[in-house]
Amino acid sequence: MATLAFQFEEISPRQLKPELYELDGISRESVEAHYSLYEGYVNKRNEILGKLDGVDLSSANQVYSEIRALKVELSFAIGGIKNHEIYFEHLGGGGGDPDGLIASLINRDFGSVSDWRADLKASGMAGRGWAWTAYDWDEGRLFNYVGDTQNTYPIWNATPLIALDVYEHAYFLDYQTDRASYIDAFFDNLDWRTVNDWVSKYQIQT
Ligand SMILES: [Fe+2]
């Protein structure tokens, strides 16, 4: 019997930093809602890789639809992990206007901080699940992208620096249907030091 076989390591959820329980305008309950979903995505990722490792290749047609379903579900789980890890890491700051390298990038590529913020907010209002500010390595500049779900629509060779979660669980407890006020609160809690650390780590040229 031929089976798929590959090496993979199980991963564990990262711990939340304490500042996330003291955000302005985003409650502890909302952060916990994100975290329990995030834990679920980590478990799902481990579970799917375990299932793929050992898929029986002997009944080809059936097995390809099984592999497809598992790999699509895997991209959803991994999207939920990566998006939330950015979200958790770059909240807990004082918001306001960016400074340092990210301010230079935003001003260069959007014209002004207010134009960048307006575009990201509109992207967050337009998307069903996520909006990102990402650096596109091929174009050498920032863009704001829209995502409907965890695994739509990432752009190849672009690195997300800001991940705005606009799924209903992100705002419904605190703002009911008022997503715009939640997005304002998101901006108010951004930690620009973290974003600047990423710009430095990735060696993005400003
Ligand atoms: Fe979330």
Side-chain angles (χ1 to χ4, degrees):
M1 183 178 83
T3 58
L4 288 181
F6 50 88
Q7 300 289 316
F8 76 96
E9 305 256 327
E10 294 213 341
I11 59 171
S12 303
R14 293 185 190 171
Q15 295 299 306
L16 284 182
K17 54 186 181 182
E19 301 95 292
L20 287 179
Y21 292 124
E22 293 163 15
L23 300 178
D24 279 339
I26 299 175
S27 65
R28 181 186 182 107
E29 289 73 23
S30 292
V31 171
E32 285 170 343
H34 291 286
Y35 192 75
S36 69
L37 288 164
Y38 162 68
E39 284 181 308
Y41 296 132
V42 170
N43 293 335
K44 186 57 86 177
R45 177 254 185 215
N46 293 337
E47 180 192 319
I48 294 167
L49 287 172
K51 282 183 184 171
L52 281 166
D53 183 8
V55 165
D56 176 4
L57 294 170
S58 57
S59 56
N61 288 338
Q62 207 175 341
V63 93
Y64 294 143
S65 66
E66 181 186 353
I67 290 170
R68 180 185 181 280
L70 287 170
K71 293 208 170 192
V72 169
E73 201 180 357
L74 180 65
S75 75
F76 190 81
I78 291 175
I81 295 166
K82 290 179 186 275
N83 289 329
H84 278 106
E85 287 183 348
I86 297 167
Y87 187 84
F88 295 143
E89 268 189 72
H90 72 6
L91 289 182
D97 284 346
D99 56 8
L101 297 172
I102 188 64
S104 303
L105 285 169
I106 285 173
N107 281 305
R108 185 192 71 189
D109 296 339
F110 289 91
S112 69
V113 170
S114 63
D115 285 350
W116 160 77
R117 192 183 280 120
D119 187 78
L120 184 59
K121 185 172 181 177
S123 303
M125 294 301 290
R128 294 179 185 162
W130 290 90
W132 302 279
T133 298
Y135 182 78
D136 184 314
W137 291 91
D138 299 315
E139 298 220 20
R141 55 156 295 164
L142 299 175
F143 284 96
N144 290 331
Y145 297 120
V146 159
D148 277 347
T149 61
Q150 316 279 18
N151 52 351
T152 61
Y153 312 94
I155 304 290
W156 291 123
N157 209 21
T159 301
L161 296 169
I162 294 171
L164 167 58
D165 191 343
V166 292
Y167 269 112
E168 196 176 81
H169 69 262
Y171 60 89
F172 197 80
L173 283 173
D174 299 327
Y175 296 97
Q176 291 73 54
T177 58
D178 183 6
R179 189 193 288 193
S181 292
Y182 154 73
I183 293 175
D184 291 339
F186 171 86
F187 285 125
D188 289 342
N189 287 282
L190 274 177
D191 179 359
W192 290 113
R193 279 175 311 179
T194 299
V195 179
N196 271 315
D197 285 348
W198 291 333
V199 174
S200 298
K201 182 177 83 172
Y202 299 135
Q203 300 185 308
I204 295 172
Q205 298 301 310
T206 57

